[in-house]
Amino acid sequence: MRLIEVNKAFATDEQCLAYLEHKRWPNGVRCTVCGAKEVSKITRKTASKNKRAQVYQCLEKTCKSQFSATNGTIFHDSHLPLSKWFTAIALIVDAKKGMSALQLSRHLACNYRTAWYLSHRIREAMDEPDGLKLTGTVEIDETYIGGKQRGHKSKLKNKDVVLGIRQRGGPLKLVQIKDSKAGTLYEAISKHVDAKDTKHIVTDDAGAYNFRLTKFHNVKHSKIRHSRKEYVKGEVHTNTVESAFSLLKRAVIGTYHQLSIKHLQRYLDEFGYRFNRREDADIFEQTVSRMAGVAPMPYAQLIEEHAFTPFVRP
Ligand SMILES: [Zn+2]
């Protein structure tokens, strides 16, 4: 679904709520408190226009809770109309280079803080499932992303290492790592690469890539000698992970001028999520479905986690 279709299909909060209901309860509405099936739809008089008018009433005598499809999800207690949420989701899933809170605030005509909080909550649903394990031919390479950080003189200290792992013709995983020592690399690789179903690992010729004493000892390992300016030797290359890196770097430079290193992994997850679904026509629907299953994230908790540093700065 593209933005224009989203805006048309979800112009009102009633339309958005009906869609969330369908995603959340494909087999019929259940009470969010006790799980009862016997519920009735009621229209509640609203004191303020921000309150949802349509709610469900649980008919279970001991429960009697009132709820809506947003209860207990990341959409809960938001003062922002659902139609703006849906527009924001459509914009973010379509932004190949990412979207800063400033850009989002302009699109939605809301203030920066609202856009910042909103984009954080949408990103929360973009966590890859832990089960993402790459197989087949897996290319591994590192790149440096970074930021000007005051107080660091050395150039390298200003940058963070990002390990890119990509299944050829398949998904990408980007991991922020503290250094490129063998142990650090292996920790990230072993988490995201399947030792059984991987046939071939391709890396550069850095000595830190050595799998002989690891669970990957039976997997064919080829090295492309970047140190000797060698880049492609038949099947042996890391070009598909490098093409993802160049897109990532353009995104970082073009969109997030001062990406805080502290939040880099979140951004990498978002980038990977979108990258891995770039061919999916239903990325919008997938994302809304995930959000209907993500717990609320109170603003206070978020700013505590982030110590008041916005994820992206204008
Ligand atoms: Zn109930």
Side-chain angles (χ1 to χ4, degrees), residues 51-112:
K51 286 262 189 251
R52 312 261 177 261
Q54 290 279 327
V55 293
Y56 286 96
Q57 166 88 58
C58 177
L59 298 178
E60 179 61 46
K61 280 195 188 83
T62 52
C63 181
K64 294 273 183 195
S65 303
Q66 285 188 357
F67 61 93
S68 81
T70 61
N71 269 69
T73 75
I74 201 132
F75 297 99
H76 188 55
D77 261 355
S78 175
H79 296 300
L80 205 66
L82 280 172
S83 55
K84 288 212 178 189
W85 272 89
F86 277 45
T87 301
I89 299 164
L91 285 166
I92 288 178
V93 297
D94 196 45
K96 286 180 191 65
K97 293 181 181 175
M99 178 161 293
S100 68
L102 185 69
Q103 288 169 307
L104 192 63
S105 72
R106 286 184 187 140
H107 281 297
L108 298 180
C110 65
N111 68 43
Y112 179 77

Side-chain angles (χ1 to χ4, degrees), residues 44-54 77 79:
R44 195 167 54 185
K45 271 192 183 166
T46 52
S48 99
K49 62 179 177 185
N50 292 325
K51 286 262 189 251
R52 312 261 177 261
Q54 290 279 327
D77 261 355
H79 296 300

Side-chain angles (χ1 to χ4, degrees), residues 141-280:
D141 201 8
E142 303 128 69
T143 193
Y144 298 87
I145 292 275
K148 292 163 202 136
Q149 276 180 309
R150 283 198 194 116
H152 286 299
K153 277 181 189 145
S154 117
K155 226 180 173 182
L156 200 64
K157 271 208 168 152
N158 289 341
K159 304 214 174 244
D160 246 37
V161 191
V162 174
L163 185 70
I165 311 172
R166 186 166 177 199
Q167 179 177 325
R168 205 172 279 171
L172 165 79
K173 179 71 199 178
L174 296 170
V175 192
Q176 179 181 18
I177 51 177
K178 59 180 194 292
D179 55 53
S180 32
K181 291 179 183 155
T184 314
L185 294 174
Y186 181 70
E187 197 189 333
I189 295 165
S190 68
K191 207 171 156 194
H192 301 291
V193 180
D194 188 295
K196 257 191 221 154
D197 293 322
T198 298
K199 303 276 176 290
H200 192 184
I201 293 177
V202 186
T203 65
D204 65 23
D205 53 348
Y209 294 112
N210 186 333
F211 302 112
R212 257 171 288 169
L213 297 174
T214 72
K215 64 179 176 181
F216 301 108
H217 68 277
N218 279 329
V219 179
K220 181 181 167 193
H221 178 201
S222 306
K223 294 185 173 193
I224 190 84
R225 289 179 292 181
H226 285 172
S227 62
R228 293 195 202 169
K229 305 266 178 250
E230 185 180 85
Y231 292 99
V232 182
K233 214 168 80 184
E235 283 286 282
V236 181
H237 62 79
T238 52
N239 289 354
T240 68
V241 71
E242 281 164 37
S243 68
F245 281 160
S246 66
L247 191 62
L248 173 72
K249 286 185 175 179
R250 269 180 281 150
V252 170
I253 295 162
T255 313
Y256 304 88
H257 302 286
Q258 282 182 294
L259 182 71
S260 168
I261 289 300
K262 203 167 119 194
H263 308 307
L264 183 59
Q265 187 60 53
R266 276 186 100 97
Y267 181 73
L268 296 176
D269 287 341
E270 180 197 347
F271 182 88
Y273 176 87
R274 207 163 29 222
F275 187 88
N276 292 338
R277 289 164 182 78
R278 67 198 181 285
E279 315 260 311
D280 297 1

Side-chain angles (χ1 to χ4, degrees), residues 23-54:
K23 288 288 178 191
R24 185 167 184 182
W25 299 295
N27 302 314
V29 180
R30 296 270 189 145
C31 171
T32 55
V33 178
C34 73
K37 274 183 181 171
E38 311 316 320
V39 296
S40 70
K41 201 169 196 171
I42 57 167
T43 304
R44 195 167 54 185
K45 271 192 183 166
T46 52
S48 99
K49 62 179 177 185
N50 292 325
K51 286 262 189 251
R52 312 261 177 261
Q54 290 279 327

